[in-house]
């Protein structure tokens, strides 16, 4: 309840990393469900043209619905024809392959860095939601990334616990630093690295990876890891979130590590945003 009083306007989370296949979509979706069930009004926006987030959460895509391409490219008057309601407190705007063309259009139009703040104002998003989570495509910073980072309060960077994945974190944070020098991101933007699929069976290797991670980042910018867990994978395959998977009364599990880890991540993120 206190959080509702402190969050006077919507907070924007950008989930982005330059390397693909590290769990970006899994973290975006499960985090959104946790926050929504804790009473926050959450809007997921899929800005990855592969649309993995959209197809994993929306059982049937309505061809008459507008997409995130329309959100960025048109002067819309309402969110109504963009939104899929997933459950109480949780909506999603789906992506499509047309995002590439929208990015080109915005580049040609120029002066696009404040586009998102204009959209928030025109569609009154700040009064309708507490948290907006953007799932962006992997790769180096592009037009859509610049637009979202310009409005973001928090950059979340998922990573696997290996050397190759950690290099993606360094590249992503370097992109943010470059944009910061151009004053294209908020001065007080925070970032949080989220180690994903952390396997405690390889603790000796993990120690070396931790040393590399802490050599490049201060500990305050690193979240507790999302542990390697078959429940998360099975939930994704079934098109549900890990909370519903682990709390299904037909399954008798001795642990609910997936739920615990994402609740811990949500707790950490709320502290940052407050």
């Amino acid at each position: 309840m206190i959080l509702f009083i402190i969050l006077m306007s919507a907070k924007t989370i950008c989930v982005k990393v330059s390397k693909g296949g590290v769990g970006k979509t899994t973290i975006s979706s499960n985090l959104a469900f946790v926050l929504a069930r804790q009473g926050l009004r959450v809007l997921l926006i899929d800005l990855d043209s592969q649309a993995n987030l959209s197809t994993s959460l929306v059982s049937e895509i309505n061809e008459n619905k507008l997409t995130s391409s329309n959100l960025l490219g048109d002067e819309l008057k309402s969110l109504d024809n963009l939104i899929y309601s997933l459950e109480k407190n949780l909506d999603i705007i789906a992506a499509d392959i047309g995002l590439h063309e929208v990015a080109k259009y915005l580049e040609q139009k120029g002066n696009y860095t404040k586009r998102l703040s204009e959209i928030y104002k025109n569609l009154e998003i700040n009064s309708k939601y507490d948290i907006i989570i953007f799932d962006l495509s992997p790769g180096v910073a592009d037009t859509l990334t610049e637009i979202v980072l310009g409005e973001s309060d928090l950059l979340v960077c998922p990573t696997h616990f290996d050397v190759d994945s950690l290099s993606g974190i360094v590249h992503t944070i370097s992109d943010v630093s470059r944009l910061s020098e151009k004053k294209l991101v908020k001065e007080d933007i925070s970032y949080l690295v989220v180690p994903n699929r952390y396997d405690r069976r390889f603790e000796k290797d993990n120690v070396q990876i931790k040393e590399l991670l802490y050599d490049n980042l201060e500990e305050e910018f690193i979240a507790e890891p999302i542990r390697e867990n078959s429940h998360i994978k099975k939930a994704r395959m079934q098109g549900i979130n890990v909370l519903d998977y682990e709390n299904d009364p037909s399954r008798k599990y001795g642990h609910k590590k997936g739920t615990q880890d994402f609740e811990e991540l949500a707790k950490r993120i709320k502290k940052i945003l407050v």
Side-chain angles (χ1 to χ4, degrees), residues 181-214:
E181 290 174 0
K182 297 180 180 179
K183 301 188 182 301
L184 297 179
V185 297
K186 292 183 177 180
E187 290 184 4
D188 58 349
I189 187 173
S190 301
Y191 60 88
L192 187 65
V193 173
V194 182
N196 188 35
R197 298 186 64 182
Y198 184 89
D199 196 334
R200 297 189 187 279
R201 293 176 300 174
F202 304 104
E203 200 58 42
K204 289 184 179 179
D205 294 333
N206 292 341
V207 169
Q208 294 181 345
I209 299 296
K210 282 180 181 177
E211 290 175 354
L212 284 173
L213 187 59
Y214 292 142

PDB file of all heavy atoms in Angstrom, residues 181-214:
ATOM      1  N   GLU A 181      26.286  10.459 -22.083  1.00  0.00           N
ATOM      2  CA  GLU A 181      27.132  11.582 -22.465  1.00  0.00           C
ATOM      3  C   GLU A 181      26.408  12.538 -23.410  1.00  0.00           C
ATOM      4  O   GLU A 181      26.659  13.743 -23.403  1.00  0.00           O
ATOM      5  CB  GLU A 181      28.411  11.052 -23.133  1.00  0.00           C
ATOM      6  CG  GLU A 181      29.351  10.350 -22.164  1.00  0.00           C
ATOM      7  CD  GLU A 181      30.533   9.719 -22.868  1.00  0.00           C
ATOM      8  OE1 GLU A 181      30.611   9.842 -24.121  1.00  0.00           O
ATOM      9  OE2 GLU A 181      31.374   9.103 -22.189  1.00  0.00           O
ATOM     10  N   LYS A 182      25.496  11.997 -24.205  1.00  0.00           N
ATOM     11  CA  LYS A 182      24.710  12.816 -25.128  1.00  0.00           C
ATOM     12  C   LYS A 182      23.429  13.342 -24.476  1.00  0.00           C
ATOM     13  O   LYS A 182      22.602  13.976 -25.143  1.00  0.00           O
ATOM     14  CB  LYS A 182      24.340  11.994 -26.368  1.00  0.00           C
ATOM     15  CG  LYS A 182      25.532  11.545 -27.193  1.00  0.00           C
ATOM     16  CD  LYS A 182      25.068  10.734 -28.397  1.00  0.00           C
ATOM     17  CE  LYS A 182      26.234  10.277 -29.252  1.00  0.00           C
ATOM     18  NZ  LYS A 182      25.763   9.473 -30.421  1.00  0.00           N
ATOM     19  N   LYS A 183      23.278  13.050 -23.166  1.00  0.00           N
ATOM     20  CA  LYS A 183      22.101  13.466 -22.400  1.00  0.00           C
ATOM     21  C   LYS A 183      20.812  12.890 -22.992  1.00  0.00           C
ATOM     22  O   LYS A 183      19.772  13.559 -23.028  1.00  0.00           O
ATOM     23  CB  LYS A 183      22.023  14.997 -22.314  1.00  0.00           C
ATOM     24  CG  LYS A 183      23.238  15.629 -21.659  1.00  0.00           C
ATOM     25  CD  LYS A 183      23.045  17.095 -21.415  1.00  0.00           C
ATOM     26  CE  LYS A 183      24.302  17.726 -20.811  1.00  0.00           C
ATOM     27  NZ  LYS A 183      24.702  17.114 -19.540  1.00  0.00           N
ATOM     28  N   LEU A 184      20.891  11.631 -23.430  1.00  0.00           N
ATOM     29  CA  LEU A 184      19.737  10.955 -24.011  1.00  0.00           C
ATOM     30  C   LEU A 184      19.086   9.972 -23.048  1.00  0.00           C
ATOM     31  O   LEU A 184      18.145   9.275 -23.408  1.00  0.00           O
ATOM     32  CB  LEU A 184      20.148  10.221 -25.300  1.00  0.00           C
ATOM     33  CG  LEU A 184      20.644  11.110 -26.442  1.00  0.00           C
ATOM     34  CD1 LEU A 184      21.040  10.261 -27.642  1.00  0.00           C
ATOM     35  CD2 LEU A 184      19.576  12.128 -26.843  1.00  0.00           C
ATOM     36  N   VAL A 185      19.618   9.887 -21.828  1.00  0.00           N
ATOM     37  CA  VAL A 185      18.998   9.067 -20.790  1.00  0.00           C
ATOM     38  C   VAL A 185      18.857   9.915 -19.534  1.00  0.00           C
ATOM     39  O   VAL A 185      19.505  10.954 -19.389  1.00  0.00           O
ATOM     40  CB  VAL A 185      19.831   7.796 -20.478  1.00  0.00           C
ATOM     41  CG1 VAL A 185      19.927   6.896 -21.702  1.00  0.00           C
ATOM     42  CG2 VAL A 185      21.211   8.163 -19.962  1.00  0.00           C
ATOM     43  N   LYS A 186      18.008   9.474 -18.629  1.00  0.00           N
ATOM     44  CA  LYS A 186      17.821  10.202 -17.378  1.00  0.00           C
ATOM     45  C   LYS A 186      19.119  10.188 -16.564  1.00  0.00           C
ATOM     46  O   LYS A 186      19.831   9.182 -16.530  1.00  0.00           O
ATOM     47  CB  LYS A 186      16.704   9.568 -16.562  1.00  0.00           C
ATOM     48  CG  LYS A 186      15.313   9.707 -17.175  1.00  0.00           C
ATOM     49  CD  LYS A 186      14.266   9.099 -16.257  1.00  0.00           C
ATOM     50  CE  LYS A 186      12.865   9.285 -16.807  1.00  0.00           C
ATOM     51  NZ  LYS A 186      11.827   8.699 -15.923  1.00  0.00           N
ATOM     52  N   GLU A 187      19.392  11.277 -15.906  1.00  0.00           N
ATOM     53  CA  GLU A 187      20.608  11.361 -15.102  1.00  0.00           C
ATOM     54  C   GLU A 187      20.614  10.334 -13.970  1.00  0.00           C
ATOM     55  O   GLU A 187      21.666   9.837 -13.589  1.00  0.00           O
ATOM     56  CB  GLU A 187      20.756  12.769 -14.523  1.00  0.00           C
ATOM     57  CG  GLU A 187      21.086  13.838 -15.556  1.00  0.00           C
ATOM     58  CD  GLU A 187      21.323  15.187 -14.924  1.00  0.00           C
ATOM     59  OE1 GLU A 187      21.295  15.259 -13.669  1.00  0.00           O
ATOM     60  OE2 GLU A 187      21.553  16.165 -15.659  1.00  0.00           O
ATOM     61  N   ASP A 188      19.437  10.031 -13.455  1.00  0.00           N
ATOM     62  CA  ASP A 188      19.358   9.130 -12.304  1.00  0.00           C
ATOM     63  C   ASP A 188      18.940   7.710 -12.695  1.00  0.00           C
ATOM     64  O   ASP A 188      18.444   6.950 -11.858  1.00  0.00           O
ATOM     65  CB  ASP A 188      18.382   9.680 -11.261  1.00  0.00           C
ATOM     66  CG  ASP A 188      16.978   9.894 -11.818  1.00  0.00           C
ATOM     67  OD1 ASP A 188      16.809   9.821 -13.062  1.00  0.00           O
ATOM     68  OD2 ASP A 188      16.049  10.140 -11.029  1.00  0.00           O
ATOM     69  N   ILE A 189      19.118   7.335 -13.963  1.00  0.00           N
ATOM     70  CA  ILE A 189      18.771   5.978 -14.377  1.00  0.00           C
ATOM     71  C   ILE A 189      19.600   4.967 -13.585  1.00  0.00           C
ATOM     72  O   ILE A 189      20.796   5.169 -13.345  1.00  0.00           O
ATOM     73  CB  ILE A 189      18.977   5.776 -15.896  1.00  0.00           C
ATOM     74  CG1 ILE A 189      18.447   4.394 -16.325  1.00  0.00           C
ATOM     75  CG2 ILE A 189      20.421   5.970 -16.294  1.00  0.00           C
ATOM     76  CD1 ILE A 189      18.452   4.175 -17.831  1.00  0.00           C
ATOM     77  N   SER A 190      18.957   3.901 -13.142  1.00  0.00           N
ATOM     78  CA  SER A 190      19.639   2.827 -12.422  1.00  0.00           C
ATOM     79  C   SER A 190      19.759   1.618 -13.340  1.00  0.00           C
ATOM     80  O   SER A 190      19.055   1.520 -14.344  1.00  0.00           O
ATOM     81  CB  SER A 190      18.843   2.429 -11.171  1.00  0.00           C
ATOM     82  OG  SER A 190      18.676   3.532 -10.302  1.00  0.00           O
ATOM     83  N   TYR A 191      20.652   0.717 -13.006  1.00  0.00           N
ATOM     84  CA  TYR A 191      20.702  -0.527 -13.749  1.00  0.00           C
ATOM     85  C   TYR A 191      20.947  -1.690 -12.806  1.00  0.00           C
ATOM     86  O   TYR A 191      21.501  -1.541 -11.720  1.00  0.00           O
ATOM     87  CB  TYR A 191      21.724  -0.492 -14.886  1.00  0.00           C
ATOM     88  CG  TYR A 191      23.160  -0.251 -14.493  1.00  0.00           C
ATOM     89  CD1 TYR A 191      23.990  -1.310 -14.146  1.00  0.00           C
ATOM     90  CD2 TYR A 191      23.692   1.034 -14.503  1.00  0.00           C
ATOM     91  CE1 TYR A 191      25.310  -1.096 -13.810  1.00  0.00           C
ATOM     92  CE2 TYR A 191      25.018   1.255 -14.173  1.00  0.00           C
ATOM     93  CZ  TYR A 191      25.823   0.190 -13.825  1.00  0.00           C
ATOM     94  OH  TYR A 191      27.131   0.412 -13.485  1.00  0.00           O
ATOM     95  N   LEU A 192      20.487  -2.861 -13.236  1.00  0.00           N
ATOM     96  CA  LEU A 192      20.576  -4.056 -12.405  1.00  0.00           C
ATOM     97  C   LEU A 192      20.864  -5.253 -13.300  1.00  0.00           C
ATOM     98  O   LEU A 192      20.098  -5.555 -14.210  1.00  0.00           O
ATOM     99  CB  LEU A 192      19.256  -4.271 -11.652  1.00  0.00           C
ATOM    100  CG  LEU A 192      19.234  -5.388 -10.612  1.00  0.00           C
ATOM    101  CD1 LEU A 192      20.184  -5.062  -9.448  1.00  0.00           C
ATOM    102  CD2 LEU A 192      17.811  -5.586 -10.080  1.00  0.00           C
ATOM    103  N   VAL A 193      21.977  -5.916 -13.046  1.00  0.00           N
ATOM    104  CA  VAL A 193      22.336  -7.127 -13.767  1.00  0.00           C
ATOM    105  C   VAL A 193      21.693  -8.313 -13.058  1.00  0.00           C
ATOM    106  O   VAL A 193      21.813  -8.456 -11.835  1.00  0.00           O
ATOM    107  CB  VAL A 193      23.868  -7.299 -13.820  1.00  0.00           C
ATOM    108  CG1 VAL A 193      24.247  -8.643 -14.428  1.00  0.00           C
ATOM    109  CG2 VAL A 193      24.488  -6.161 -14.620  1.00  0.00           C
ATOM    110  N   VAL A 194      21.007  -9.152 -13.834  1.00  0.00           N
ATOM    111  CA  VAL A 194      20.303 -10.297 -13.253  1.00  0.00           C
ATOM    112  C   VAL A 194      20.922 -11.594 -13.781  1.00  0.00           C
ATOM    113  O   VAL A 194      20.646 -12.005 -14.911  1.00  0.00           O
ATOM    114  CB  VAL A 194      18.805 -10.270 -13.590  1.00  0.00           C
ATOM    115  CG1 VAL A 194      18.093 -11.450 -12.916  1.00  0.00           C
ATOM    116  CG2 VAL A 194      18.178  -8.948 -13.150  1.00  0.00           C
ATOM    117  N   PRO A 195      21.762 -12.247 -12.996  1.00  0.00           N
ATOM    118  CA  PRO A 195      22.298 -13.548 -13.414  1.00  0.00           C
ATOM    119  C   PRO A 195      21.162 -14.563 -13.524  1.00  0.00           C
ATOM    120  O   PRO A 195      20.370 -14.723 -12.597  1.00  0.00           O
ATOM    121  CB  PRO A 195      23.264 -13.921 -12.280  1.00  0.00           C
ATOM    122  CG  PRO A 195      23.595 -12.622 -11.607  1.00  0.00           C
ATOM    123  CD  PRO A 195      22.341 -11.805 -11.708  1.00  0.00           C
ATOM    124  N   ASN A 196      21.095 -15.232 -14.659  1.00  0.00           N
ATOM    125  CA  ASN A 196      19.986 -16.154 -14.922  1.00  0.00           C
ATOM    126  C   ASN A 196      20.526 -17.570 -15.127  1.00  0.00           C
ATOM    127  O   ASN A 196      21.643 -17.764 -15.575  1.00  0.00           O
ATOM    128  CB  ASN A 196      19.229 -15.686 -16.170  1.00  0.00           C
ATOM    129  CG  ASN A 196      17.957 -16.471 -16.395  1.00  0.00           C
ATOM    130  OD1 ASN A 196      17.287 -16.876 -15.457  1.00  0.00           O
ATOM    131  ND2 ASN A 196      17.630 -16.698 -17.654  1.00  0.00           N
ATOM    132  N   ARG A 197      19.686 -18.553 -14.777  1.00  0.00           N
ATOM    133  CA  ARG A 197      20.045 -19.970 -14.897  1.00  0.00           C
ATOM    134  C   ARG A 197      21.345 -20.269 -14.145  1.00  0.00           C
ATOM    135  O   ARG A 197      22.246 -20.928 -14.648  1.00  0.00           O
ATOM    136  CB  ARG A 197      20.140 -20.385 -16.368  1.00  0.00           C
ATOM    137  CG  ARG A 197      18.828 -20.251 -17.126  1.00  0.00           C
ATOM    138  CD  ARG A 197      18.912 -20.808 -18.519  1.00  0.00           C
ATOM    139  NE  ARG A 197      19.174 -22.255 -18.469  1.00  0.00           N
ATOM    140  CZ  ARG A 197      19.334 -23.018 -19.556  1.00  0.00           C
ATOM    141  NH1 ARG A 197      19.272 -22.476 -20.756  1.00  0.00           N
ATOM    142  NH2 ARG A 197      19.558 -24.311 -19.432  1.00  0.00           N
ATOM    143  N   TYR A 198      21.396 -19.780 -12.926  1.00  0.00           N
ATOM    144  CA  TYR A 198      22.576 -19.955 -12.075  1.00  0.00           C
ATOM    145  C   TYR A 198      22.586 -21.377 -11.529  1.00  0.00           C
ATOM    146  O   TYR A 198      21.675 -21.784 -10.797  1.00  0.00           O
ATOM    147  CB  TYR A 198      22.526 -18.939 -10.935  1.00  0.00           C
ATOM    148  CG  TYR A 198      23.730 -18.937 -10.026  1.00  0.00           C
ATOM    149  CD1 TYR A 198      24.830 -18.142 -10.323  1.00  0.00           C
ATOM    150  CD2 TYR A 198      23.764 -19.716  -8.882  1.00  0.00           C
ATOM    151  CE1 TYR A 198      25.933 -18.121  -9.482  1.00  0.00           C
ATOM    152  CE2 TYR A 198      24.865 -19.708  -8.037  1.00  0.00           C
ATOM    153  CZ  TYR A 198      25.944 -18.911  -8.351  1.00  0.00           C
ATOM    154  OH  TYR A 198      27.040 -18.893  -7.530  1.00  0.00           O
ATOM    155  N   ASP A 199      23.599 -22.147 -11.883  1.00  0.00           N
ATOM    156  CA  ASP A 199      23.667 -23.565 -11.518  1.00  0.00           C
ATOM    157  C   ASP A 199      24.698 -23.762 -10.411  1.00  0.00           C
ATOM    158  O   ASP A 199      25.908 -23.651 -10.629  1.00  0.00           O
ATOM    159  CB  ASP A 199      24.052 -24.393 -12.748  1.00  0.00           C
ATOM    160  CG  ASP A 199      23.775 -25.887 -12.551  1.00  0.00           C
ATOM    161  OD1 ASP A 199      23.779 -26.331 -11.383  1.00  0.00           O
ATOM    162  OD2 ASP A 199      23.568 -26.592 -13.558  1.00  0.00           O
ATOM    163  N   ARG A 200      24.210 -24.067  -9.212  1.00  0.00           N
ATOM    164  CA  ARG A 200      25.095 -24.192  -8.055  1.00  0.00           C
ATOM    165  C   ARG A 200      25.952 -25.463  -8.099  1.00  0.00           C
ATOM    166  O   ARG A 200      26.867 -25.617  -7.290  1.00  0.00           O
ATOM    167  CB  ARG A 200      24.267 -24.172  -6.767  1.00  0.00           C
ATOM    168  CG  ARG A 200      23.524 -22.852  -6.568  1.00  0.00           C
ATOM    169  CD  ARG A 200      22.886 -22.756  -5.198  1.00  0.00           C
ATOM    170  NE  ARG A 200      22.048 -21.587  -5.075  1.00  0.00           N
ATOM    171  CZ  ARG A 200      22.491 -20.360  -4.820  1.00  0.00           C
ATOM    172  NH1 ARG A 200      23.783 -20.166  -4.672  1.00  0.00           N
ATOM    173  NH2 ARG A 200      21.649 -19.350  -4.717  1.00  0.00           N
ATOM    174  N   ARG A 201      25.685 -26.355  -9.039  1.00  0.00           N
ATOM    175  CA  ARG A 201      26.506 -27.566  -9.162  1.00  0.00           C
ATOM    176  C   ARG A 201      27.916 -27.232  -9.663  1.00  0.00           C
ATOM    177  O   ARG A 201      28.834 -28.030  -9.513  1.00  0.00           O
ATOM    178  CB  ARG A 201      25.852 -28.563 -10.123  1.00  0.00           C
ATOM    179  CG  ARG A 201      24.536 -29.140  -9.614  1.00  0.00           C
ATOM    180  CD  ARG A 201      23.907 -30.027 -10.661  1.00  0.00           C
ATOM    181  NE  ARG A 201      23.632 -29.282 -11.895  1.00  0.00           N
ATOM    182  CZ  ARG A 201      23.185 -29.863 -13.010  1.00  0.00           C
ATOM    183  NH1 ARG A 201      22.970 -31.172 -13.051  1.00  0.00           N
ATOM    184  NH2 ARG A 201      22.956 -29.122 -14.086  1.00  0.00           N
ATOM    185  N   PHE A 202      28.059 -26.040 -10.264  1.00  0.00           N
ATOM    186  CA  PHE A 202      29.363 -25.646 -10.815  1.00  0.00           C
ATOM    187  C   PHE A 202      29.916 -24.453 -10.035  1.00  0.00           C
ATOM    188  O   PHE A 202      30.335 -23.456 -10.616  1.00  0.00           O
ATOM    189  CB  PHE A 202      29.216 -25.313 -12.304  1.00  0.00           C
ATOM    190  CG  PHE A 202      28.616 -26.434 -13.100  1.00  0.00           C
ATOM    191  CD1 PHE A 202      27.291 -26.364 -13.521  1.00  0.00           C
ATOM    192  CD2 PHE A 202      29.358 -27.560 -13.400  1.00  0.00           C
ATOM    193  CE1 PHE A 202      26.726 -27.397 -14.246  1.00  0.00           C
ATOM    194  CE2 PHE A 202      28.803 -28.598 -14.137  1.00  0.00           C
ATOM    195  CZ  PHE A 202      27.482 -28.529 -14.559  1.00  0.00           C
ATOM    196  N   GLU A 203      29.909 -24.590  -8.719  1.00  0.00           N
ATOM    197  CA  GLU A 203      30.254 -23.460  -7.869  1.00  0.00           C
ATOM    198  C   GLU A 203      31.705 -23.006  -8.057  1.00  0.00           C
ATOM    199  O   GLU A 203      32.003 -21.804  -7.966  1.00  0.00           O
ATOM    200  CB  GLU A 203      30.009 -23.803  -6.396  1.00  0.00           C
ATOM    201  CG  GLU A 203      29.869 -22.582  -5.499  1.00  0.00           C
ATOM    202  CD  GLU A 203      28.729 -21.670  -5.936  1.00  0.00           C
ATOM    203  OE1 GLU A 203      27.648 -22.165  -6.293  1.00  0.00           O
ATOM    204  OE2 GLU A 203      28.950 -20.446  -5.940  1.00  0.00           O
ATOM    205  N   LYS A 204      32.619 -23.922  -8.356  1.00  0.00           N
ATOM    206  CA  LYS A 204      34.013 -23.518  -8.578  1.00  0.00           C
ATOM    207  C   LYS A 204      34.124 -22.593  -9.782  1.00  0.00           C
ATOM    208  O   LYS A 204      34.820 -21.584  -9.754  1.00  0.00           O
ATOM    209  CB  LYS A 204      34.900 -24.753  -8.764  1.00  0.00           C
ATOM    210  CG  LYS A 204      35.117 -25.550  -7.479  1.00  0.00           C
ATOM    211  CD  LYS A 204      36.081 -26.696  -7.726  1.00  0.00           C
ATOM    212  CE  LYS A 204      36.321 -27.482  -6.433  1.00  0.00           C
ATOM    213  NZ  LYS A 204      37.257 -28.624  -6.662  1.00  0.00           N
ATOM    214  N   ASP A 205      33.434 -22.957 -10.863  1.00  0.00           N
ATOM    215  CA  ASP A 205      33.420 -22.091 -12.049  1.00  0.00           C
ATOM    216  C   ASP A 205      32.704 -20.784 -11.755  1.00  0.00           C
ATOM    217  O   ASP A 205      33.113 -19.717 -12.225  1.00  0.00           O
ATOM    218  CB  ASP A 205      32.730 -22.793 -13.221  1.00  0.00           C
ATOM    219  CG  ASP A 205      33.504 -24.011 -13.708  1.00  0.00           C
ATOM    220  OD1 ASP A 205      34.730 -24.024 -13.531  1.00  0.00           O
ATOM    221  OD2 ASP A 205      32.868 -24.928 -14.246  1.00  0.00           O
ATOM    222  N   ASN A 206      31.639 -20.872 -10.968  1.00  0.00           N
ATOM    223  CA  ASN A 206      30.861 -19.673 -10.649  1.00  0.00           C
ATOM    224  C   ASN A 206      31.694 -18.637  -9.910  1.00  0.00           C
ATOM    225  O   ASN A 206      31.517 -17.430 -10.104  1.00  0.00           O
ATOM    226  CB  ASN A 206      29.638 -20.041  -9.796  1.00  0.00           C
ATOM    227  CG  ASN A 206      28.603 -20.850 -10.564  1.00  0.00           C
ATOM    228  OD1 ASN A 206      28.606 -20.850 -11.797  1.00  0.00           O
ATOM    229  ND2 ASN A 206      27.728 -21.530  -9.852  1.00  0.00           N
ATOM    230  N   VAL A 207      32.595 -19.105  -9.051  1.00  0.00           N
ATOM    231  CA  VAL A 207      33.448 -18.176  -8.287  1.00  0.00           C
ATOM    232  C   VAL A 207      34.290 -17.335  -9.239  1.00  0.00           C
ATOM    233  O   VAL A 207      34.432 -16.117  -9.064  1.00  0.00           O
ATOM    234  CB  VAL A 207      34.347 -18.955  -7.301  1.00  0.00           C
ATOM    235  CG1 VAL A 207      35.410 -18.033  -6.710  1.00  0.00           C
ATOM    236  CG2 VAL A 207      33.501 -19.566  -6.190  1.00  0.00           C
ATOM    237  N   GLN A 208      34.851 -17.963 -10.265  1.00  0.00           N
ATOM    238  CA  GLN A 208      35.671 -17.230 -11.233  1.00  0.00           C
ATOM    239  C   GLN A 208      34.832 -16.224 -12.019  1.00  0.00           C
ATOM    240  O   GLN A 208      35.275 -15.100 -12.271  1.00  0.00           O
ATOM    241  CB  GLN A 208      36.334 -18.213 -12.190  1.00  0.00           C
ATOM    242  CG  GLN A 208      37.353 -19.118 -11.520  1.00  0.00           C
ATOM    243  CD  GLN A 208      38.018 -20.073 -12.506  1.00  0.00           C
ATOM    244  OE1 GLN A 208      37.531 -20.260 -13.616  1.00  0.00           O
ATOM    245  NE2 GLN A 208      39.127 -20.678 -12.101  1.00  0.00           N
ATOM    246  N   ILE A 209      33.608 -16.635 -12.388  1.00  0.00           N
ATOM    247  CA  ILE A 209      32.722 -15.732 -13.123  1.00  0.00           C
ATOM    248  C   ILE A 209      32.329 -14.548 -12.238  1.00  0.00           C
ATOM    249  O   ILE A 209      32.276 -13.397 -12.697  1.00  0.00           O
ATOM    250  CB  ILE A 209      31.465 -16.470 -13.612  1.00  0.00           C
ATOM    251  CG1 ILE A 209      31.846 -17.615 -14.560  1.00  0.00           C
ATOM    252  CG2 ILE A 209      30.510 -15.511 -14.293  1.00  0.00           C
ATOM    253  CD1 ILE A 209      32.510 -17.176 -15.826  1.00  0.00           C
ATOM    254  N   LYS A 210      32.052 -14.812 -10.964  1.00  0.00           N
ATOM    255  CA  LYS A 210      31.704 -13.735 -10.037  1.00  0.00           C
ATOM    256  C   LYS A 210      32.826 -12.707  -9.950  1.00  0.00           C
ATOM    257  O   LYS A 210      32.584 -11.500  -9.922  1.00  0.00           O
ATOM    258  CB  LYS A 210      31.423 -14.304  -8.641  1.00  0.00           C
ATOM    259  CG  LYS A 210      30.068 -14.945  -8.471  1.00  0.00           C
ATOM    260  CD  LYS A 210      29.911 -15.467  -7.050  1.00  0.00           C
ATOM    261  CE  LYS A 210      28.572 -16.134  -6.849  1.00  0.00           C
ATOM    262  NZ  LYS A 210      28.425 -16.711  -5.490  1.00  0.00           N
ATOM    263  N   GLU A 211      34.062 -13.199  -9.900  1.00  0.00           N
ATOM    264  CA  GLU A 211      35.200 -12.284  -9.819  1.00  0.00           C
ATOM    265  C   GLU A 211      35.253 -11.378 -11.042  1.00  0.00           C
ATOM    266  O   GLU A 211      35.506 -10.172 -10.929  1.00  0.00           O
ATOM    267  CB  GLU A 211      36.498 -13.088  -9.676  1.00  0.00           C
ATOM    268  CG  GLU A 211      36.636 -13.777  -8.329  1.00  0.00           C
ATOM    269  CD  GLU A 211      37.872 -14.666  -8.254  1.00  0.00           C
ATOM    270  OE1 GLU A 211      38.545 -14.829  -9.299  1.00  0.00           O
ATOM    271  OE2 GLU A 211      38.158 -15.196  -7.152  1.00  0.00           O
ATOM    272  N   LEU A 212      34.998 -11.957 -12.223  1.00  0.00           N
ATOM    273  CA  LEU A 212      34.966 -11.150 -13.443  1.00  0.00           C
ATOM    274  C   LEU A 212      33.841 -10.123 -13.396  1.00  0.00           C
ATOM    275  O   LEU A 212      34.003  -8.964 -13.780  1.00  0.00           O
ATOM    276  CB  LEU A 212      34.780 -12.059 -14.663  1.00  0.00           C
ATOM    277  CG  LEU A 212      35.995 -12.850 -15.140  1.00  0.00           C
ATOM    278  CD1 LEU A 212      35.583 -13.831 -16.234  1.00  0.00           C
ATOM    279  CD2 LEU A 212      37.073 -11.912 -15.653  1.00  0.00           C
ATOM    280  N   LEU A 213      32.690 -10.563 -12.912  1.00  0.00           N
ATOM    281  CA  LEU A 213      31.528  -9.678 -12.847  1.00  0.00           C
ATOM    282  C   LEU A 213      31.778  -8.518 -11.900  1.00  0.00           C
ATOM    283  O   LEU A 213      31.515  -7.350 -12.229  1.00  0.00           O
ATOM    284  CB  LEU A 213      30.299 -10.487 -12.394  1.00  0.00           C
ATOM    285  CG  LEU A 213      28.946  -9.787 -12.417  1.00  0.00           C
ATOM    286  CD1 LEU A 213      28.608  -9.291 -13.822  1.00  0.00           C
ATOM    287  CD2 LEU A 213      27.854 -10.740 -11.933  1.00  0.00           C
ATOM    288  N   TYR A 214      32.322  -8.839 -10.724  1.00  0.00           N
ATOM    289  CA  TYR A 214      32.550  -7.789  -9.734  1.00  0.00           C
ATOM    290  C   TYR A 214      33.726  -6.886 -10.108  1.00  0.00           C
ATOM    291  O   TYR A 214      33.834  -5.763  -9.620  1.00  0.00           O
ATOM    292  CB  TYR A 214      32.778  -8.399  -8.346  1.00  0.00           C
ATOM    293  CG  TYR A 214      31.539  -9.053  -7.773  1.00  0.00           C
ATOM    294  CD1 TYR A 214      31.625 -10.238  -7.046  1.00  0.00           C
ATOM    295  CD2 TYR A 214      30.283  -8.484  -7.963  1.00  0.00           C
ATOM    296  CE1 TYR A 214      30.489 -10.839  -6.516  1.00  0.00           C
ATOM    297  CE2 TYR A 214      29.153  -9.077  -7.441  1.00  0.00           C
ATOM    298  CZ  TYR A 214      29.256 -10.256  -6.715  1.00  0.00           C
ATOM    299  OH  TYR A 214      28.138 -10.843  -6.202  1.00  0.00           O
TER     300      TYR A 214
END
